[in-house]
Amino acid sequence: MLEPHMNLLKRYFSKIESPEEAEFFLNSSSYILFLIGFLQSILFTFLLGSFRNFYMDVLLLFIFGIVIRFSRSRVSVILLCIYSLIILIGTTLTWFGIAAGGGNNIFLALLLLLLSIRTLIVSFQFHTLKNTKLIWKNIWIRHLIAIGFAFILFSSFFISFIMISKFLGIAEMNSLHGEIIFESFPISYILLLLPGLPWAKKRRMYTTSENPS
C-alpha cells in the first residue's frame, strides 16, 4: 500500500531531466504551499487564537501557490525564497526570545524555505529544458495592464474606506483595514499577471522550443 506513495516521493525528489518532470515538481510544490497555508491557518486560529495577526502570511502562501501552479514565473519563486527566508528569520528570533511577532513553528518555516529553494532551482531548470525566450514587448504590456488594474482596485478600496469612514464617523484607520487596503495593490498586481486572464492569452511572456535531448 505504501508503494504508490514511495514512488510519488521518489519522483518528487528525483533529478529533473525533462520539462514534464519539472512541471510535475512545480505543480506539486504549489499544492504543498496550499497545504502549508491551510495548516498555518489552523495553527493560528485554534492553537494561537490570533489568525487576524497572521492572515497575510497565509494569504501570501496561497497566492504564491496559485502563481506557481498556473504560471512558470521565475520572479515569483525568487520572491517566494525571499519571503520564506524572512519568515524563517522572524520565527527563529521569536523562538529564541530575541524578538516578538514572528511565527512559532520553526520546523514549518524551515520546510518552507527548503521547498522554496528547491522550487527556485526547478523553475530555472524548467525554462532551460524548454529553451524559453522572453518576449519583452508582451512582458511590458502585461505588466502595465496589471499595474493599471491593480491601481484601480487599490484606489477603489481606499476611496470606499474614506467614504464609509465619513459615513460612520470613524476617525482612525484600523490596522486590519489598513493592511487590506495597502496590500491590495501588490496582491492584485501579482494575480493579474496570471496567464489565464483575457489580455494575457494572446500575449505570452515567452516562447518555448524544447531541446531535442
Side-chain angles (χ1 to χ4, degrees):
M1 293 179 64
L2 294 177
E3 186 175 350
H5 299 285
M6 294 301 295
N7 291 335
L8 183 64
L9 289 174
K10 183 178 179 181
R11 184 181 178 188
Y12 186 79
F13 290 105
S14 63
K15 181 180 179 181
I16 303 298
E17 297 180 343
S18 68
E20 291 74 21
E21 292 177 349
E23 285 193 306
F24 170 81
F25 181 91
L26 294 174
N27 292 340
S28 300
S29 295
S30 67
Y31 300 142
I32 294 175
L33 287 175
F34 294 147
L35 178 61
I36 293 176
F38 178 72
L39 292 176
Q40 279 193 326
S41 64
I42 294 178
L43 175 66
F44 294 146
T45 302
F46 296 103
L47 298 182
L48 302 180
S50 58
F51 179 73
R52 178 177 177 179
N53 296 330
F54 296 95
Y55 78 96
M56 190 56 65
D57 293 336
V58 175
L59 180 60
L60 284 173
L61 283 177
F62 279 111
I63 290 175
F64 277 122
I66 292 173
V67 173
I68 292 173
R69 174 61 182 85
F70 297 103
S71 173
R72 304 309 180 196
S73 171
R74 285 162 285 193
V75 175
S76 64
V77 290
I78 292 174
L79 293 175
L80 175 62
C81 284
I82 296 173
Y83 168 75
S84 302
L85 180 60
I86 293 173
I87 291 296
L88 179 61
I89 293 174
T91 303
T92 303
L93 293 176
T94 302
W95 181 276
F96 288 103
I98 300 175
N104 293 278
N105 196 329
I106 192 171
F107 301 105
L108 192 61
L110 181 60
L111 173 64
L112 178 61
L113 179 61
L114 294 176
L115 174 67
S116 303
I117 294 173
R118 173 69 170 159
T119 304
L120 174 66
I121 295 172
V122 174
S123 179
F124 276 85
Q125 288 178 330
F126 168 79
H127 285 278
T128 300
L129 291 168
K130 298 281 284 187
N131 192 24
T132 60
K133 298 184 184 299
L134 297 176
I135 306 175
W136 288 104
K137 178 182 178 181
N138 290 347
I139 290 175
W140 281 109
I141 292 175
R142 284 177 57 178
H143 277 273
L144 288 174
I145 292 175
I147 290 174
F149 277 109
F151 180 76
I152 292 173
L153 182 62
F154 162 77
S155 301
S156 300
F157 273 120
F158 185 75
I159 294 173
S160 299
F161 176 79
I162 296 298
M163 295 178 64
I164 294 174
S165 298
K166 287 186 176 181
F167 179 76
L168 298 177
I170 300 175
E172 296 183 1
M173 179 183 294
N174 184 284
S175 60
L176 177 62
H177 296 155
E179 287 186 21
I180 293 175
I181 292 172
F182 292 108
E183 292 290 343
S184 65
F185 183 84
I187 290 175
S188 57
Y189 168 68
I190 294 173
L191 291 176
L192 286 166
L193 291 175
L194 288 171
L197 297 172
W199 58 83
K201 291 180 179 179
K202 296 182 179 180
R203 298 183 178 91
R204 292 181 59 85
M205 289 189 179
Y206 58 83
T207 57
T208 60
S209 176
E210 296 186 23
N211 295 326
S213 59

